[in-house]
Amino acid sequence: EKLQSFYMNRGYADFAIDSTQVTIAPDKREMYIAASVKEGEIYTVSDVHLLGELILPEDTLRKLVFIHTGDTFNRAAIEGSSNAIKGLLANIGYAYAKVTSIPKLDKEKRTVDLTLYVEPGKRVYVRRIVFQGNTRTEDDVLRREMRQFEGSYYNQAALDRSKIRLQQKGYFKKVDITTPRVPGTDDQIDVKVKVEETNSGSFTFGVGYSQLDKLILSVSVSENNFLGSGDSASVSASKSYYQTAYGVNYFQPYLT
């Protein structure tokens, strides 16, 4: 696979591995691997076609094609183009879009006529967003971080952003998002968000000494997800020869 990718990304469109052989030395301490390869010739792209059901204007899709007429054949650029088009369609509801690359080789001219065939499929809606694993954190704490909404078109970029926002909260060790189809339908999915909670609190105790304050004792307790509400709270106290200080902090990020 590594050999094939190396050659295919450098213009060798008809590269092939004829055979591979694995042999063991008589002392059974070494192994020999022999690969018989057929390099072929370097091909250039003669034309690039976009066919199929083009939901978006062709000019818009053309901007996501990373290989052009006259370029050296490059499989990575073709796969990148297919993935970029699928990603754009996924952001407007076409969750199961397919983009098939069909290269047509002219061995005499050493050119490739490339066709990208687009099959968007049905536009998909999100029926329900379900949270799992949040035994301590309230559902609305997770739901307010979601950028994908129930009843709206599926949007891969919104799901990716939702996952990042949940991870940045610091309440969860792991966040997984899956999108199973709704049984009996072909245009609805559910979004299942499975989280693994982690400790979000801390306890700090300190001892110090200075010539002015003499012995200094301090202690603090903080919780970034107080009672699963998504609010942060902390209590602190410090005492020295000259002064005693207490502090209480409560922060509600969605007060307004």
Side-chain angles (χ1 to χ4, degrees):
E1 290 177 355
K2 294 284 286 184
L3 277 172
Q4 193 169 33
S5 295
F6 179 85
Y7 276 95
M8 287 284 190
N9 294 341
R10 288 162 175 79
Y12 295 90
D14 56 358
F15 171 83
I17 297 178
D18 294 333
S19 64
T20 56
Q21 293 181 345
V22 180
T23 56
I24 303 175
D27 60 3
K28 296 184 179 181
R29 294 192 177 188
E30 293 180 327
M31 297 185 69
Y32 300 92
I33 300 174
S36 175
V37 302
K38 178 184 176 183
E39 290 185 334
E41 302 293 338
I42 295 178
Y43 287 73
T44 56
V45 177
S46 60
D47 204 352
V48 180
H49 310 281
L50 280 172
L51 299 179
E53 189 178 352
L54 306 183
I55 299 298
L56 298 173
E58 185 173 343
D59 291 344
T60 300
L61 298 179
R62 285 276 177 187
K63 295 176 182 178
L64 302 176
V65 178
F66 307 130
I67 189 166
H68 308 93
T69 302
D71 291 352
T72 301
F73 180 84
N74 188 317
R75 189 174 68 174
I78 296 172
E79 291 176 352
S81 303
S82 298
N83 291 335
I85 294 173
K86 286 191 292 184
L88 179 61
L89 293 174
N91 290 342
I92 57 173
Y94 297 94
Y96 304 104
K98 296 180 181 179
V99 179
T100 307
S101 59
I102 308 171
K104 185 178 179 182
L105 274 61
D106 187 331
K107 295 192 175 184
E108 291 184 1
K109 297 180 180 179
R110 297 177 186 173
T111 59
V112 178
D113 187 80
L114 179 65
T115 298
L116 296 176
Y117 192 81
V118 181
E119 299 175 85
K122 280 201 171 184
R123 206 171 190 185
V124 176
Y125 294 83
V126 174
R127 182 187 69 165
R128 187 175 297 128
I129 299 177
V130 181
F131 300 101
Q132 299 173 337
N134 54 318
T135 56
R136 181 166 170 268
T137 307
E138 298 174 2
D139 268 21
D140 64 326
V141 175
L142 286 80
R143 192 173 295 276
R144 68 192 182 193
E145 301 299 331
M146 298 297 294
R147 291 301 173 262
Q148 171 72 67
F149 303 111
E150 293 178 342
S152 65
Y153 287 126
Y154 172 90
N155 187 321
Q156 183 61 53
L159 278 180
D160 293 341
R161 184 59 188 161
S162 301
K163 182 175 181 178
I164 291 173
R165 289 176 66 91
L166 288 172
Q167 290 172 330
Q168 289 177 338
K169 297 302 292 181
Y171 310 153
F172 312 112
K173 185 186 301 182
K174 189 176 180 181
V175 179
D176 289 321
I177 297 179
T178 57
T179 55
R181 291 178 182 265
V182 176
T185 69
D186 58 359
D187 63 348
Q188 292 185 32
I189 62 171
D190 286 335
V191 173
K192 292 188 177 181
V193 183
K194 187 175 182 180
V195 298
E196 183 179 340
E197 293 181 317
T198 186
N199 292 329
S200 56
S202 63
F203 172 79
T204 306
F205 178 78
V207 179
Y209 180 83
S210 72
Q211 290 183 336
L212 178 63
D213 294 317
K214 307 303 180 184
L215 186 66
I216 304 171
L217 299 175
S218 63
V219 62
S220 67
V221 178
S222 64
E223 173 57 59
N224 293 328
N225 187 16
F226 185 66
L227 299 178
S229 65
D231 301 343
S232 61
S234 65
V235 177
S236 62
S238 64
K239 181 173 179 57
S240 66
Y241 183 79
Y242 287 107
Q243 66 176 359
T244 300
Y246 302 98
V248 177
N249 177 71
Y250 191 88
F251 177 64
Q252 189 174 7
Y254 283 85
L255 180 64
T256 57

